[in-house]
């Protein structure tokens, strides 16, 4: 069964889900945070079939999350290095880890902590609003069409209700 694609939807959440929504992708990115950058290391650490791993890595290269760097000519072997775009995905992974530590694991039982290398302090990510610097709160937010949303009145009405 082929999965539904969301890469053309006028929604940043749908497009991010299209890129990161496969369960292997965040795990591949996690391993990259641990310093893994070679195909065989990813395969071993994730216990993933090589054909699935190859597909996911190719997907991440095409999306500009990783770049392939040749490190051995015979046989050809590549390192998968995170690009700036890939490194910025840390924000997603950190938010997922913080949410999971709070809501999935018993208090004091979370298996991973994010630590600031400079200070040694455990950090818990918070998503602040750019202008106010205050943490985002669902009760204070609404979603509305942005400049790239389709101008079709039907699509706007479907997504945002009458008068959008």
């Amino acid at each position: 069964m082929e999965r539904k694609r969301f890469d053309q939807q006028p929604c940043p959440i749908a497009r991010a889900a299209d890129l990161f929504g496969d369960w292997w992708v965040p795990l591949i990115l996690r391993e990259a945070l641990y310093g893994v950058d070679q195909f065989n290391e990813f395969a071993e650490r994730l216990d993933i079939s090589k054909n699935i791993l190859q597909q996911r890595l190719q997907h991440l290269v095409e999306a500009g999350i990783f770049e392939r760097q040749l490190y051995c000519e015979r046989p050809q072997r590549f390192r998968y290095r995170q690009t700036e775009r890939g490194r910025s995905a840390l924000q997603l992974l950190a938010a997922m880890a913080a949410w999971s530590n709070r809501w999935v694991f018993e208090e004091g039982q979370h298996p991973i902590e994010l630590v600031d290398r400079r200070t040694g302090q455990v950090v818990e990510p918070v998503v602040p609003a750019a202008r106010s610097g205050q943490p985002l709160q669902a009760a204070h937010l609404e979603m509305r069409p942005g400049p790239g949303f389709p101008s079709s009145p039907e699509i706007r009405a479907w997504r945002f209700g009458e008068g959008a």
Side-chain angles (χ1 to χ4, degrees), residues 1 3 16-31 46-49 52-53 56 59-60 93 96:
M1 172 186 266
R3 77 178 182 94
D18 192 69
L19 181 58
F20 297 109
D22 175 277
W23 62 68
W24 287 113
V25 169
L27 299 178
I28 290 168
L29 293 172
R30 177 199 65 196
E31 292 307 315
L46 294 169
D47 193 26
I48 182 176
S49 71
I52 297 293
L53 177 59
R56 297 320 182 270
H59 171 69
L60 291 168
L93 297 178
M96 289 172 69

Side-chain angles (χ1 to χ4, degrees), residues 6-164:
F6 300 110
D7 59 341
Q8 298 300 310
Q9 287 199 9
C11 172
I13 296 167
R15 290 201 184 182
D18 192 69
L19 181 58
F20 297 109
D22 175 277
W23 62 68
W24 287 113
V25 169
L27 299 178
I28 290 168
L29 293 172
R30 177 199 65 196
E31 292 307 315
L33 286 175
Y34 281 119
V36 173
D37 65 0
Q38 295 177 21
F39 185 90
N40 288 338
E41 288 179 302
F42 282 116
E44 184 179 311
R45 294 253 192 127
L46 294 169
D47 193 26
I48 182 176
S49 71
K50 292 187 179 196
N51 65 323
I52 297 293
L53 177 59
Q54 181 60 43
Q55 291 171 5
R56 297 320 182 270
L57 288 171
Q58 182 62 35
H59 171 69
L60 291 168
V61 168
E62 289 170 1
I65 302 297
F66 283 128
E67 59 186 14
R68 283 179 11 145
Q69 295 177 342
L70 184 67
Y71 74 90
C72 182
E73 297 259 348
R74 291 191 148 203
Q76 267 195 347
R77 297 198 190 270
F78 296 89
R79 293 189 194 285
Y80 291 86
R81 302 287 188 166
Q82 287 184 309
T83 63
E84 181 180 351
R85 179 182 278 193
R87 287 186 298 276
S88 72
L90 167 63
Q91 297 171 32
L92 295 170
L93 297 178
M96 289 172 69
W99 183 89
S100 185
N101 282 345
R102 180 171 180 191
W103 297 105
V104 176
F105 293 96
E106 297 290 327
E107 187 170 335
Q109 298 301 310
H110 53 276
I112 300 293
E113 293 179 325
L114 298 174
V115 178
D116 185 319
R117 288 182 184 170
R118 299 165 298 176
T119 65
Q121 297 293 310
V122 174
V123 296
E124 189 168 326
V126 174
V127 180
R131 293 193 184 172
S132 71
Q134 297 298 310
L136 296 179
Q137 296 180 35
H140 299 156
L141 299 175
E142 68 176 306
M143 295 178 88
R144 65 180 185 198
F149 197 85
S151 60
S152 161
E154 294 82 18
I155 293 174
R156 285 175 176 255
W158 170 78
R159 174 52 66 204
F160 298 103
E162 291 299 317

